[in-house]
Every structure is written in C-alpha cells, then in structure tokens.
C-alpha cells in the first residue's frame, strides 16, 4: 500500500510510524534495509519533468525521514543496509552510523567486497556478520579464526 517513498503521504506515514515505534519501545538500533529498488519508475518522458523523477524524490524523502528521526531520537543507532546492490551513497552516511555493504557473508567473498568498498568509503562504517562454516550458500569451509578476522 505504502511503497512510493517519493509521495508526501508515504513519507509522512513512515515518519509517523517510526516516531510511534521509537517513542513506545526502548529501541536503540534500527537496520534500514534497501533490498527493493523501484523497478518501473515511469517512462522516459516523465524523467524530463523533475516533478516525476520518482527515484530522486524517493531518496530525498528518505534523507528527510532519517534526518528527522535522528533529530527526534539521537540515541538510536541507524544502519543502512544495501543488500549487495551498491546502494550505499555518501548522502545516507550523513545519517547512518554504519552500513551493511552486502548480504554475502562468505568470508572469502567478503575479502573482495570489503576491498572494493574501501576504495570509496571509510572501512570503519562497514559492518558484517560472522556466519556458519560450512557457509550456508556455497558450502565453503573455513576455520573460525579466518572467519572472525575477515569482517
């Protein structure tokens, strides 16, 4: 129902919902996942009109939501989750305490992911989980010493 964050009413719904949630419960950490981008943002004619730039409005409203939530709840730590889609940007780093660069938690794969990430972003904002060995996606086996050193 509320999918287009570029719409003012969706922006307000999210801000109201999050304000109510953070005011009601003692939450100290929010992981904001961006695994779904807009796949049908309109026709090329609509992009010529700045009022129809759906993705731009989405990101602008997202930044405004985060800015307001950070102001209202300065003690809450926020993580932006990119889900491997290269959707971390310098703009969100104004509001995020940390970022999750990829859902791929395989320790060997993380070496290249983290290297590429570090070419553009400061490594201190990058987060990663330590997961099982053998890895659930590809069956690779690593000694836990290696798995804990990589992230």
């Amino acid at each position: 129902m509320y999918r287009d964050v570029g719409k003012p009413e969706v922006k307000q719904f999210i801000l109201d919902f999050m304000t109510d949630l953070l005011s009601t419960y003692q939450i100290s950490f929010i992981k904001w996942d961006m695994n779904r981008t807009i796949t049908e943002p309109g026709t090329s004619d609509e992009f010529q009109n700045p009022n129809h730039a759906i993705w731009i409005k989405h990101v602008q409203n997202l930044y405004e939501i985060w800015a307001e939530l950070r102001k209202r709840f300065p003690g809450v730590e926020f993580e932006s989750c990119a889900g491997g889609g290269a959707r971390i940007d310098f703009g969100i780093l104004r509001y995020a305490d940390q970022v999750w660069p990829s859902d791929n938690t395989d320790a060997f794969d993380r070496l290249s992911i983290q290297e590429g990430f570090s070419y553009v972003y400061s490594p201190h904002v990058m987060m990663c989980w330590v997961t099982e060995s053998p890895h659930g996606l590809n069956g690779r086996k690593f000694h836990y010493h290696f798995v804990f050193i990589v992230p």
Side-chain angles (χ1 to χ4, degrees):
M1 181 175 176
Y2 293 103
R3 294 181 206 155
D4 185 352
V5 179
K7 292 182 177 181
E9 62 270 23
V10 175
K11 173 187 169 188
Q12 193 59 53
F13 173 83
I14 294 170
L15 190 55
D16 292 345
F17 173 82
M18 292 299 296
T19 297
D20 184 50
L21 183 72
L22 293 170
S23 297
T24 303
Y25 302 99
Q26 293 182 347
I27 296 172
S28 60
F29 177 78
I30 296 289
K31 181 175 186 140
W32 198 293
D33 207 322
M34 289 218 14
N35 278 338
R36 180 75 175 143
T37 58
I38 297 171
T39 55
E40 296 180 25
T43 67
S44 60
D45 292 339
E46 287 180 319
F47 282 108
Q48 302 303 317
N49 182 340
N51 294 324
H52 295 122
I54 295 171
W55 184 243
I56 293 170
K57 289 163 75 173
H58 171 93
V59 172
Q60 288 171 338
N61 280 354
L62 181 68
Y63 290 171
E64 290 172 12
I65 290 167
W66 277 52
E68 188 59 33
L69 290 174
R70 295 304 305 248
K71 187 169 74 172
R72 293 179 188 180
F73 304 98
V76 175
E77 186 176 1
F78 283 83
E79 178 177 282
S80 178
C81 180
R87 293 179 297 272
I88 295 169
D89 62 271
F90 285 116
I92 202 67
L93 290 176
R94 287 180 283 185
Y95 312 109
D97 297 290
Q98 59 196 43
V99 294
W100 179 268
S102 177
D103 285 341
N104 183 345
T105 58
D106 177 88
F108 182 76
D109 291 344
R110 291 292 300 185
L111 292 173
S112 61
I113 292 167
Q114 293 171 184
E115 179 186 13
F117 182 90
S118 70
Y119 289 152
V120 179
Y121 304 102
S122 176
H124 84 276
V125 299
M126 175 177 45
M127 296 295 123
C128 178
W129 293 341
V130 172
T131 55
E132 72 276 6
S133 182
H135 195 268
L137 293 177
N138 57 28
R140 280 191 187 139
K141 294 180 183 179
F142 296 110
H143 189 276
Y144 278 107
H145 180 72
F146 177 71
V147 174
F148 274 90
I149 289 175
V150 171

